[in-house]
Amino acid sequence: MNYNSTQNAAEVVSAAQAIAQGISKDGGLFVPQSFPQYDEATLRALLKEDYKGRAKKVFSDFLTDFTAEEIDECVEQAYTAAKFGGANPAPMAYTKLGGKALNVLELWHGPTCAFKDMALQILPHLLTKSLKKTCDGKDAVILVATSGDTGKAALEGFKDVEHTKIIVFYPVDGVSPMQKHQMNTQEGKNVTVCAIKGNFDDAQTGVKKIFTTPAISEQLAQNNMLFSSANSINWGRLLPQIVYYISAYCDMVNDGKLAFGDKMNVVVPTGNFGNILASYYAAQMGLPINKFICASNANNVLTDFINTGVYDKNRQFFTTTSPSMDILVSSNLERLLYKLCGNDDAVTREWMTALKTGGKYEVTDAVKEEITDKFFGGFCDDAQTKDTISRLFKEDGYLCDTHTAVAVNVYEQYVEATGDTTPAVIVSTASPYKFSKAVLQAVAPDAALPETEFDMVDMLNQVSGMPVPAPLAGLRDKQARFSDVTEADAMPQYVLSALGID
């Protein structure tokens, strides 16, 4: 299987090239030329596999230039019980709200307590093998823009990985205190962390600009380095996310929550559109999904796009209690648009150029019709998020984070608007302890909040009885290593300086 750029279909690369390069030289994103088809026999066979077995099947169908032994090695090293607290790194939890069953896919049991671990524990293994296949001898410089969770997960995944260096940029006031502490205390000889004055979109735009500036790439090449990405613009980040939707379906069937062959809905708290896109790709492979429910916070650019066909980032930016979704430019939407317009790179390029130059574009009626047929867009504000966390905890003792609460709230909106009773998988993306202040204010609104983040963690533990994940508890006494802050337009110089080639 080969891959095309969304903005230049004539560019054809192997899986290893797509992963090593991260992003096309023209700024487009790599997408598979076709999707493997999983029929009834294939899905029934996957019911009998554990998570690792399901992952190996999906990877082997997309990474055709990797040997079975290479894929086996990557999967076995990534999804260990030691890293994820059990044999299933993506377990289902079954709870209820308002008397109705909720099927929650918990993706936060990894080493950084966020769903990004599901991809970023395996990406370093995929990348190092890809580098050997395509550009042996060069070091990869991993550039990351993060709204909170990707940064720490990438840092942890690439920590001390040979022939890699990783530089993470985050918005100085746009992540939770726990997320910031996780990143700034990161260990590893090959890691660098820097805050930027601006929001996530500024960081993401800055990283893309660095990637596509030939002069900078030439400077790296002269020093035997090349850029790659750990954001979901990298196919090696997106592919592992397909696996957990297929695994969730299998677990639902095995647990008697869904009849084999019946469709399910997926509800995804969405910022950069990668997580929900992975579910759409799973459906393209044959996974029976009825509706893709896209849940946003007050930064509801995706909700408006799904409902109108107009993408317009020219709007107020909100800093919310669900900061990983505080995004106005959803990069992975480009991949969906490329697919829906018949893999027309010229049309996709036109829309992306309009977004870059004017901050706005409108899709065709045909594309809009297909989006509204397959997707539902909804959003909720911080007050609704808080109320949802409170109700879930009071009614069934289930504690969730702010992003998961957004998904639950929008799912309720969807059911009320449509009456659809199709069983739904609600994606839970982070441990509630990563957002202790907001969660505490929801479940113990009358309590006097402690001053420090870790005292809030202790109080939330006392109120809820939910164990504090060991990776977060272990951060309490760690000292920060990184404190740099830079202007967004100074990011290129910062990168070169950090690499010692300025």
Side-chain angles (χ1 to χ4, degrees):
M1 179 180 290
N2 288 321
Y3 296 78
N4 292 122
S5 164
T6 53
Q7 296 190 36
N8 180 11
E11 183 176 3
V12 180
V13 300
S14 67
Q17 287 173 300
I19 293 171
Q21 197 170 320
I23 188 173
S24 174
K25 293 176 182 177
D26 54 47
L29 307 184
F30 290 117
V31 292
Q33 289 185 324
S34 61
F35 290 90
Q37 295 302 300
Y38 286 12
D39 57 14
E40 179 180 337
T42 304
L43 290 174
R44 285 196 181 278
L46 289 174
L47 292 177
K48 302 173 185 177
E49 297 283 353
D50 62 6
Y51 192 90
K52 289 180 181 178
R54 294 163 188 167
K56 289 172 186 177
K57 168 61 176 171
V58 173
F59 288 136
S60 66
D61 288 334
F62 281 99
L63 307 179
T64 54
D65 50 343
F66 283 64
T67 66
E69 291 75 20
E70 287 173 327
I71 290 172
D72 186 79
E73 183 180 328
C74 289
V75 171
E76 291 293 338
Q77 290 180 347
Y79 301 121
T80 65
K83 289 179 179 177
F84 286 91
N88 186 355
M92 295 296 303
Y94 302 110
T95 184
K96 61 182 182 291
L97 184 62
K100 297 177 182 177
L102 297 180
N103 311 300
V104 184
L105 174 60
E106 292 184 343
L107 299 175
W108 44 264
H109 292 280
T112 75
C113 305
F115 81 104
K116 307 298 176 72
D117 289 325
M118 299 301 302
L120 283 163
Q121 280 300 303
I122 196 165
L123 178 60
H125 301 292
L126 296 175
L127 180 63
T128 51
K129 285 177 168 53
S130 295
L131 288 170
K132 288 180 180 179
K133 292 174 185 292
T134 60
C135 42
D136 194 19
K138 288 189 177 181
D139 289 349
V141 177
I142 315 297
L143 290 188
V144 179
T146 185
S147 54
D149 288 332
T150 290
K152 172 59 180 177
L155 289 163
E156 189 65 28
F158 281 96
K159 177 183 68 178
D160 291 329
V161 172
E162 290 187 358
H163 301 298
T164 67
K165 300 178 187 295
I166 178 167
I167 303 173
V168 169
F169 293 100
Y170 69 90
V172 65
D173 295 318
V175 300
S176 77
M178 182 65 79
Q179 289 173 317
K180 184 178 293 188
H181 193 61
Q182 280 186 300
M183 288 186 283
N184 286 336
T185 58
Q186 178 64 48
E187 299 172 350
K189 297 177 182 178
N190 63 334
V191 306
T192 301
V193 178
C194 182
I196 69 151
K197 297 176 182 177
N199 57 37
F200 169 76
D201 292 322
D202 297 319
Q204 181 169 249
T205 300
V207 165
K208 283 187 175 180
K209 184 176 181 180
I210 294 168
F211 263 103
T212 54
T213 302
I216 300 177
S217 297
E218 288 170 11
Q219 284 181 273
L220 260 68
Q222 291 168 9
N223 287 270
N224 209 34
M225 301 177 188
L226 56 80
F227 282 130
S228 191
S229 172
N231 283 95
S232 54
I233 56 176
N234 190 319
W235 176 246
R237 255 289 306 277
L238 194 57
L239 174 59
Q241 295 180 271
I242 295 173
V243 177
Y244 52 67
Y245 289 103
I246 293 173
S247 188
Y249 175 83
C250 292
D251 287 347
M252 289 266 287
V253 172
N254 287 337
D255 293 342
K257 303 295 183 179
L258 186 69
F260 182 83
D262 285 357
K263 290 187 175 184
M264 67 180 188
N265 291 334
V266 294
V267 190
V268 189
T270 309
N272 219 16
F273 207 78
N275 203 357
I276 195 167
L277 178 68
S279 67
Y280 176 81
Y281 278 175
Q284 294 298 300
M285 297 163 63
L287 194 69
I289 298 178
N290 172 57
K291 202 79 172 183
F292 305 92
I293 300 167
C294 180
S296 300
N297 60 20
N299 295 294
N300 59 347
V301 63
L302 284 168
T303 305
D304 288 347
F305 172 69
I306 290 169
N307 293 329
T308 67
V310 176
Y311 195 101
D312 187 356
K313 72 167 187 174
N314 302 310
R315 62 181 64 210
Q316 183 178 354
F317 177 87
F318 296 98
T319 299
T320 74
T321 59
S322 46
S324 297
M325 300 157 64
D326 290 349
I327 295 171
L328 294 180
V329 179
S330 304
S331 286
N332 274 290
L333 186 59
E334 179 176 341
R335 284 183 161 117
L336 176 69
L337 297 178
Y338 179 77
K339 180 77 173 61
L340 295 184
C341 70
N343 300 343
D344 191 326
D345 56 341
V347 171
T348 307
R349 188 167 59 250
E350 179 184 337
W351 288 334
M352 293 305 103
T353 300
L355 180 64
K356 188 182 298 183
T357 57
K360 179 179 179 180
Y361 62 85
E362 182 172 4
V363 299
T364 62
D365 289 343
V367 169
K368 178 187 174 184
E369 184 178 347
E370 193 158 359
I371 289 172
T372 54
D373 178 59
K374 292 179 169 64
F375 289 82
F376 174 88
F379 73 99
C380 71
D381 61 21
D382 282 354
Q384 293 168 297
T385 301
K386 179 180 179 181
D387 175 69
T388 304
I389 295 171
S390 174
R391 288 188 294 118
L392 260 177
F393 185 67
K394 286 178 181 176
E395 291 190 25
D396 202 40
Y398 188 79
L399 191 68
C400 76
D401 86 301
T402 49
H403 305 76
T404 306
V406 169
V408 172
N409 186 282
V410 172
Y411 175 60
E412 290 184 297
Q413 295 177 35
Y414 171 76
V415 172
E416 183 176 350
T418 65
D420 184 7
T421 59
T422 301
V425 169
I426 296 172
V427 177
S428 179
T429 56
S431 165
Y433 285 104
K434 293 193 77 169
F435 307 92
S436 294
K437 181 178 180 180
V439 176
L440 254 182
Q441 289 174 325
V443 300
D446 298 326
L449 288 180
E451 290 186 8
T452 73
E453 182 75 7
F454 285 100
D455 286 341
M456 292 181 200
V457 167
D458 289 341
M459 179 180 280
L460 184 57
N461 171 248
Q462 293 166 9
V463 170
S464 69
M466 180 181 178
V468 181
L472 299 183
L475 289 172
R476 180 185 293 270
D477 299 320
K478 293 190 72 172
Q479 296 299 309
R481 292 180 62 199
F482 304 102
S483 58
D484 287 350
V485 182
T486 188
E487 300 285 348
D489 58 8
M491 288 169 61
Q493 187 57 41
Y494 184 91
V495 167
L496 294 175
S497 179
L499 295 173
I501 59 175
D502 56 336

